[in-house]
C-alpha cells in the first residue's frame, strides 16, 4: 500500500534529521531578532510558498521583522525582466539594504548550485549576504548543496528514497519551520488554536 510506504519513508526521514542542527538554526535566528536584525526568507517553486507562509509565522508568532521577496509579484517579475533570474534575490536584498544584523532563511530541496545552475538565484543571494556579514540559515534536502556549504546553520532533510526526495523534503521543511516558530528560543506568542484550546477543553469537560 503506497500510503503506508510513503508515511514510513517520511518517518524514517524524521527519525534521522539532525536535532542539533535544528537547535543551531533556532539559536542563529534568535540572535538575528534579538540583535535588531531583519529576517529574509527565500525559496523558489514550492519553497517560495514555504517562504511566504513561514514569513507570516515568524512575524506573528516570533516577533521578527521578516520579509519574503516572492510575495511581491510585480517587483519580482520586473527584476526578472530587467536583471535576470539569477540576480533577482541578490538585487532585491541590495535594495533592502541588507546588513550584518540581518539574516537569510533558505528553503530549497537541493540547496542551490552554480554548476550545474540550479536555484542559482538563491546562491547569488547567499553570496551577497555573506559579503554583507549577514547570517545564513537553511532548511534543505539532498546533500544540502551550496546552502549547507555556506550557511551558519543548516538543517538537511535526509534522502531516504530517491523517488520521493521532493515531497518528503518539502513536507518536512514545513514541519521544521513550525518546530522553529514553536521553539522557546523564538516563540513569543501562541497560535490561535493553542490560545483557545484550554477553554474549549474546559467547556467540553463540563
Amino acid at each position: 500500500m503506497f500510503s503506508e510506504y510513503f508515511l514510513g519513508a517520511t518517518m524514517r526521514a524524521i527519525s534521522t534529521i539532525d536535532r542539533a542542527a535544528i537547535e543551531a538554526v533556532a539559536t542563529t535566528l534568535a540572535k538575528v531578532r534579538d540583535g535588531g536584525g531583519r529576517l529574509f526568507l527565500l525559496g523558489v517553486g514550492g519553497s517560495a510558498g514555504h517562504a511566504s507562509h513561514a514569513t507570516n509565522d515568524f512575524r506573528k508568532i516570533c516577533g521578527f521583522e521578516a520579509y519574503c521577496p516572492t510575495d511581491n509579484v510585480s517587483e519580482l517579475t520586473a527584476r526578472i525582466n530587467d536583471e535576470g533570474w539569477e540576480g533577482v534575490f541578490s538585487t532585491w536584498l541590495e535594495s533592502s539594504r541588507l546588513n550584518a544584523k540581518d539574516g537569510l532563511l533558505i528553503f530549497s530541496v537541493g540547496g542551490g548550485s552554480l554548476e550545474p545552475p540550479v536555484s542559482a538565484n538563491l546562491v547569488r543571494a547567499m553570496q551577497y549576504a555573506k559579503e554583507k556579514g549577514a547570517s545564513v540559515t537553511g532548511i534543505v534536502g539532498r546533500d544540502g548543496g551550496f546552502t549547507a556549504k555556506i550557511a551558519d546553520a543548516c538543517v538537511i532533510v535526509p534522502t531516504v528514497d530517491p523517488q520521493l526526495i521532493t515531497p518528503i523534503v518539502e513536507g518536512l521543511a514545513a514541519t521544521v519551520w513550525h518546530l522553529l516558530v514553536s521553539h522557546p528560543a523564538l516563540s513569543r506568542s501562541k497560535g490561535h488554536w493553542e490560545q483557545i484550546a484550554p477553554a474549549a477543553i474546559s467547556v467540553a469537560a463540563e
Side-chain angles (χ1 to χ4, degrees), residues 25 43 47 52-53 91 104 107 116 119 121 149 165 175 180 190:
V25 170
S47 294
S52 181
H53 182 164
T91 57
L104 264 58
F107 292 94
S119 300
N121 46 16
K149 293 177 182 178
I165 293 173
T175 299
L180 289 169
K190 293 182 178 180

Side-chain angles (χ1 to χ4, degrees), residues 86-101:
E86 284 195 10
V88 67
F89 294 140
S90 58
T91 57
W92 189 94
L93 292 169
E94 184 178 2
S95 293
S96 299
R97 297 178 177 83
L98 184 79
N99 62 70
K101 290 184 178 180

Side-chain angles (χ1 to χ4, degrees), residues 31-144:
K31 288 180 180 178
V32 170
R33 182 196 59 196
D34 298 343
R38 300 164 296 167
L39 180 62
F40 298 96
L41 297 94
L42 308 180
V44 295
S47 294
H50 279 356
S52 181
H53 182 164
T55 297
N56 165 65
D57 289 349
F58 279 102
R59 290 181 68 91
K60 188 172 184 293
I61 299 172
C62 302
F64 275 86
E65 182 180 349
Y67 302 97
C68 175
T70 48
D71 280 346
N72 186 336
V73 68
S74 296
E75 181 180 2
L76 182 75
T77 53
R79 289 188 180 280
I80 293 170
N81 187 61
D82 297 344
E83 300 155 7
W85 180 237
E86 284 195 10
V88 67
F89 294 140
S90 58
T91 57
W92 189 94
L93 292 169
E94 184 178 2
S95 293
S96 299
R97 297 178 177 83
L98 184 79
N99 62 70
K101 290 184 178 180
D102 299 329
L104 264 58
L105 175 55
I106 304 295
F107 292 94
S108 175
V109 173
S113 67
L114 292 177
E115 292 296 337
V118 180
S119 300
N121 46 16
L122 298 178
V123 174
R124 299 297 187 196
M126 287 184 275
Q127 290 175 326
Y128 182 75
K130 285 298 184 180
E131 289 174 11
K132 293 298 180 179
S135 66
V136 175
T137 55
I139 305 171
V140 299
R142 300 184 74 241
D143 64 356

Side-chain angles (χ1 to χ4, degrees), residues 14 17 22-23 25-26 29 39 41 46 49-62 64 105 107 138-139 155 157 169-194:
I14 289 175
I17 288 178
I22 299 175
E23 294 296 321
V25 170
L29 293 176
L39 180 62
L41 297 94
H50 279 356
S52 181
H53 182 164
T55 297
N56 165 65
D57 289 349
F58 279 102
R59 290 181 68 91
K60 188 172 184 293
I61 299 172
C62 302
F64 275 86
L105 175 55
F107 292 94
I139 305 171
V155 177
V157 177
V169 171
E170 290 189 344
L172 293 186
T175 299
V176 172
W177 104 60
H178 281 100
L179 184 163
L180 289 169
V181 299
S182 304
H183 196 289
L186 296 170
S187 178
R188 286 186 170 175
S189 66
K190 293 182 178 180
H192 177 72
W193 288 106
E194 287 70 29

